[in-house]
Amino acid sequence: MESAYIHIPFCDTICSYCDFCKFIRNDEWINKYLNALEKEINTKYKGEILNTIYIGGGTPSCLNLEQLIKLFSIIKVLNRNKEYEFTFECNIENITKDKLKLLYDNGVNRLSIGIQTFNEKYLTFLNRNHTKQEIIEKINLAKEIGFKNINIDLIYGLPNQTLEELNEDIEEFLKLNITHISTYSLIIEPNTKIYINNYNNIDEDIDFEMYKLICNKLKDNGYNHYEISNFSKVGYESKHNLTYWNNNEYYGFGLGASGYIDNIRYENTRSFNRYLSGEYVKESHKLDLNEIIENEFILGLRKINGINKEIFKNKYNKDIKNIEVVNKLLECNNLLEDEKNIYINPDYIYVSNDILVEFID
């Protein structure tokens, strides 16, 4: 087992992710949830030494100090290797010096902070309650506490956003001098507030130009583009996310969490009452070898370096080039290969989903 993902569904705004967000958040429900989380971890965890722990989903930083102390007490049971990566998701609005100190003292060594944008107009559009100055102050505070590994999220493709506005955002992100940047093009989903207000997804050609701008700008400033949406300084790639992309197994604990254990992919219930009663898993599926290999391609080819041919052969006792679809995509230059890896042609990274779908079934 590589990793543990722990979902904390409490957030500052109402969403459709799980039943819990339909309620007004209060301390009684939080304590009930933490008690249930402790029972699930104690029931499922088999004592393996973990390489990564990731606490995220919702807004775990909205927990108060007492609740955070309880959460860290619960996860002390998780064994970690000497070079573990422990990520904690935060929102700017509820970062405080006391909370950061508590995280640091309890072994968190990587922060993931949802900044999204520096543009005041788009912060309002995204319903973010922080300012540009607060972003700078909170990032500097985290560094002062001792956090050296910090990820920040950048959202682009906002309605009516221009390339000039995106470039200004990237410039501000670069000034923070952090180790990791995750980028996401805004997808407007039905039944969301943005959709109801009649906003549309940005034009695809503009979206592509924005993606190219991000890739080029970050590369020119020392960031390694190691996964479709992720960029890092050398040595600061997300170990936890690489667990997913390398198709390795991991625990998923908490309401709505997903996991992958013993070739079984599972998703926990999003019903608060069922979770409290110990009915943790909503659905699960035992993968056969073909499905496992299918996932290997769909996940592994998200990495810019793609899939290591030797590792693939050791995992599946099969030469990757004996797979028909691989040769087909190599012949048409959708895939390329070097001595070690097979990977998506950089010219087609933006439309990688059109290539990955070839591996389904």
Side-chain angles (χ1 to χ4, degrees):
M1 194 67 56
E2 291 276 341
S3 305
Y5 164 62
I6 301 168
H7 181 235
I8 305 294
F10 313 109
C11 47
D12 300 324
T13 57
I14 294 176
C15 69
S16 60
Y17 185 75
C18 58
D19 277 357
F20 198 90
C21 291
K22 297 175 184 177
F23 301 96
I24 298 173
R25 190 172 62 83
N26 67 39
D27 291 342
E28 180 183 356
W29 285 329
I30 289 176
N31 288 327
K32 285 182 179 180
Y33 177 74
L34 291 176
N35 289 335
L37 177 66
E38 181 174 25
K39 289 180 181 177
E40 185 194 10
I41 291 174
N42 289 336
T43 298
K44 292 183 178 179
Y45 177 57
K46 296 182 175 65
E48 301 96 333
I49 296 177
L50 304 176
N51 297 325
T52 75
I53 299 172
Y54 193 104
I55 299 181
T59 313
S61 60
C62 75
L63 300 181
N64 64 36
L65 290 175
E66 183 180 349
Q67 292 156 353
L68 286 171
I69 289 170
K70 181 172 183 176
L71 174 61
F72 286 118
S73 175
I74 289 168
I75 64 173
K76 277 186 178 178
V77 69
L78 302 176
N79 296 318
R80 313 165 197 175
N81 72 17
K82 292 181 179 179
E83 297 180 353
Y84 69 91
E85 176 190 272
F86 188 170
T87 305
F88 194 94
E89 284 191 4
C90 300
N91 271 1
I92 290 292
E93 294 94 316
N94 40 50
I95 289 177
T96 67
K97 184 174 183 178
D98 287 342
K99 284 186 180 180
L100 288 174
K101 185 73 164 54
L102 181 64
L103 300 184
Y104 189 80
D105 290 344
N106 280 275
V108 174
N109 54 25
R110 184 176 185 270
L111 298 178
S112 184
I113 302 176
I115 290 177
Q116 323 302 2
T117 178
F118 273 93
N119 188 301
E120 301 283 355
K121 174 177 64 176
Y122 294 122
L123 283 172
T124 301
F125 172 78
L126 293 168
N127 198 31
R128 310 300 289 187
N129 297 316
H130 57 256
T131 65
K132 174 180 175 180
Q133 187 57 37
E134 285 178 297
I135 294 172
I136 295 169
E137 291 174 355
K138 297 296 177 67
I139 294 292
N140 287 336
L141 178 60
K143 290 180 178 180
E144 290 172 11
I145 295 295
F147 289 101
K148 297 178 181 178
N149 193 356
I150 299 174
N151 169 70
I152 52 179
D153 295 338
L154 166 67
I155 285 186
Y156 67 97
L158 296 154
N160 302 315
Q161 186 182 29
T162 65
L163 284 167
E164 291 74 19
E165 288 174 325
L166 174 60
N167 189 63
E168 289 171 3
D169 251 349
I170 299 171
E171 290 285 355
E172 294 296 335
F173 272 55
L174 290 170
K175 289 177 185 177
L176 296 175
N177 191 29
I178 45 73
T179 53
H180 195 285
I181 298 176
S182 298
T183 65
Y184 305 98
S185 177
L186 179 68
I187 303 297
I188 299 175
E189 300 286 358
N191 303 318
T192 61
K193 184 178 179 181
I194 297 175
Y195 178 87
I196 292 169
N197 288 336
N198 294 318
Y199 288 101
N200 298 313
N201 289 314
I202 199 166
D203 180 82
E204 188 171 316
D205 290 337
I206 297 175
D207 189 87
F208 177 52
E209 291 301 318
M210 289 182 166
Y211 182 74
K212 288 198 298 183
L213 173 63
I214 291 169
C215 293
N216 293 332
K217 192 92 173 179
L218 294 183
K219 181 180 179 181
D220 289 345
N221 283 273
Y223 286 87
N224 173 35
H225 186 192
Y226 73 98
E227 190 271 342
I228 292 173
S229 302
N230 287 272
F231 305 78
S232 76
K233 297 287 183 70
V234 175
Y236 287 95
E237 297 81 4
S238 170
K239 293 179 182 178
H240 184 82
N241 287 343
L242 283 168
T243 296
Y244 303 148
W245 300 322
N246 289 329
N247 200 25
N248 293 328
E249 297 192 338
Y250 58 95
Y251 284 108
F253 299 121
L255 192 70
S258 60
Y260 179 38
I261 299 174
D262 296 332
N263 294 332
I264 297 173
R265 290 197 177 273
Y266 66 89
E267 181 181 339
N268 275 1
T269 180
R270 297 183 183 186
S271 164
F272 185 55
N273 289 329
R274 286 178 182 168
Y275 187 79
L276 289 187
S277 68
E279 298 178 45
Y280 306 122
V281 177
K282 174 187 175 184
E283 57 188 13
S284 63
H285 174 66
K286 178 84 171 183
L287 277 65
D288 61 30
L289 181 59
N290 285 336
E291 290 172 308
I292 294 170
I293 293 176
E294 176 183 300
N295 285 341
E296 186 80 19
F297 285 112
I298 292 172
L299 296 168
L301 289 174
R302 287 187 59 89
K303 297 177 294 181
I304 302 303
N305 289 338
I307 297 171
N308 182 285
K309 291 182 278 190
E310 184 178 354
I311 292 175
F312 185 93
K313 187 168 186 178
N314 290 337
K315 285 177 80 170
Y316 303 111
N317 195 28
K318 183 178 295 193
D319 191 323
I320 195 170
K321 293 186 69 178
N322 286 340
I323 296 175
E324 183 179 352
V325 67
V326 172
N327 286 309
K328 168 189 165 185
L329 293 170
L330 284 169
E331 286 174 7
C332 63
N333 285 327
N334 287 150
L335 293 182
L336 301 176
E337 69 172 319
D338 56 28
E339 185 178 341
K340 292 183 178 180
N341 303 316
I342 285 180
Y343 54 94
I344 291 179
N345 186 327
D347 292 339
Y348 302 128
I349 284 291
Y350 178 75
V351 292
S352 58
N353 284 343
D354 295 338
I355 296 171
L356 297 178
V357 74
E358 295 283 340
F359 290 96
I360 297 177
D361 294 326

